[in-house]
Every structure is written in structure tokens, then in C-alpha cells.
Amino acid sequence: MRSIGVTMNVTLDGVVQGLGRPDEDTRGGFPHGGWGNRHQDEVMAEEMSRGMSEPGDMLFGRRTWEDFTKVWAGREDGNPFTTHMNAATKYVASTTLEDAGAWQNSVLLRGDAARTVAELKARPGNNLSIIGSAALVRALHTAGLVDRYTLLIHPLTLGAGARLFDGPAPLTEFTLTRSVPTTKGVIIAYYDRVASEPAEA
């Protein structure tokens, strides 16, 4: 069975919305887009490169996949991250997307995410990684399908925006396997799931 690992940038008050650009995600009138850029450094880049060096496939929700497609599809700039993103098999879970042809090596998982991803996870193949896609992460966490979290915890609060866990989440325990502080105050924390309880019906 494949494993599923999530990499997520999060503020001290749990916000995950609009990390990279002012216009990245303004839903709900979110005014703080681009909050993560001030905290990038070589330590963070090295840690993220470490993850990219491992073989694996990627998993997206529709909105994040469409946003990434605009930035990465067909791009050729010699950046190792670009090469990794375009070469990887990318699964996109969606109930509304018609096809996934806009970005090379993308495969559409049509229907309920918890069901389609559980079926994918049960099949032989590479491990799966998720970058962003908070709504998808919440659904998979509730279904007990997330095995690992890499949380990049940024030293600020925003007071507004979508949180990593908006609404109830089942009791789930994790063990900290590693942590790395950056020069900009970000803590990169690696967690493995050790126990979980199914969500109440």
C-alpha cells in the first residue's frame, strides 16, 4: 500500500491560505496573500529539495492543481523543482474537473476524494505527496488516509484565513520524527501518524 505525506505551510494560528502571492487565494476577502515569502531561506530550500529527491507521485485538489498548472505546465527553466513537478505523475481529485490534460503526466480522479484516493492508495505504486490542497487534506485526514505531515510553521499570526483544520477532525496522534529550525524562524516539523480513530457518523 502507498503512503500519503502532506507538506503544508502554516502560521502560528493555523492559517494555510494564500501563502505565495497576493492574488493566490483571496476567497472570503483574504487580505494577507504572500505571507510566506518573507521567511524563505537556504535551510528551507534544502529541506524541500530533500523531499523532492525521493521517488513518488503527487496528489492535488482541483483548485491547487489548476493554480500550479498555470505556473509549472510546460515550463523549462533548469530549476530542479520545475523538473520534478513536470516529470511526476500528478493525480488530481475532483468532482467538477472535466479532464486533466492541461498539465503533462496528470491523471484525473473523478468523484468523492476520500473514496478515489483510498482506492489509489491501496494499489501498488509510488508513495503520494500533497503540497497545499487544504480542502483535500482535511477530507483525507478525516478518512484516516494521511500518514505523514511536514509542517512549515511560520512565526506569525494572521487572524483571518482558512485554517489547516477548519471544523472537526478525528482524534489522531502523531510522533515527531525530526525538526529543523530555519534562519528566518520557521520550524520544519516532520510528523508520522501513530494512531487514529474513525470520524463519527
Side-chain angles (χ1 to χ4, degrees):
M1 177 180 288
R2 308 179 190 218
S3 68
I4 295 178
V6 171
T7 298
M8 190 77 70
N9 288 269
V10 58
T11 66
L12 290 177
D13 56 344
V15 175
V16 294
Q17 185 174 355
L19 163 79
R21 305 186 315 274
D23 64 344
E24 180 178 331
D25 184 355
T26 59
R27 288 175 295 176
F30 182 65
H32 302 302
W35 54 266
N37 293 329
R38 72 194 78 171
H39 300 134
Q40 295 180 6
D41 71 351
E42 292 183 2
V43 176
M44 183 184 293
E46 182 178 342
E47 287 298 308
M48 296 303 96
S49 296
R50 184 192 305 270
M52 287 189 300
S53 67
E54 300 174 1
D57 298 336
M58 303 188 74
L59 182 59
F60 291 91
R62 176 195 58 79
R63 192 181 185 286
T64 301
W65 180 84
E66 288 180 334
D67 188 67
F68 275 44
T69 295
K70 294 174 185 176
V71 177
W72 302 107
R75 184 171 169 178
E76 297 180 4
D77 57 8
N79 186 312
F81 190 71
T82 303
T83 301
H84 173 82
M85 294 286 285
N86 286 322
T89 299
K90 295 167 283 289
Y91 296 94
V92 52
S94 176
T95 59
T96 60
L97 195 65
E98 293 296 325
D99 67 73
W103 192 3
Q104 63 265 46
N105 303 318
S106 293
V107 178
L108 177 60
L109 302 177
R110 185 178 285 111
D112 176 73
R115 176 184 58 80
T116 58
V117 173
E119 293 171 354
L120 175 65
K121 184 178 181 182
R123 298 200 299 262
N126 291 326
N127 289 335
L128 299 158
S129 63
I130 304 174
I131 301 174
S133 299
L136 174 62
V137 170
R138 292 186 203 106
L140 300 186
H141 180 90
T142 299
L145 295 173
V146 176
D147 300 290
R148 298 181 312 280
Y149 282 99
T150 300
L151 299 181
L152 289 78
I153 305 166
H154 292 244
L156 80 166
T157 61
L158 297 177
R163 267 68 175 178
L164 176 56
F165 295 116
D166 273 339
L171 173 61
T172 311
E173 296 181 7
F174 294 87
T175 181
L176 179 68
T177 60
R178 186 166 172 260
S179 64
V180 178
T182 75
T183 66
K184 298 295 183 68
V186 175
I187 300 294
I188 305 175
Y190 297 83
Y191 292 100
D192 286 355
R193 180 165 58 90
V194 294
S196 64
E197 295 180 1
E200 295 183 2

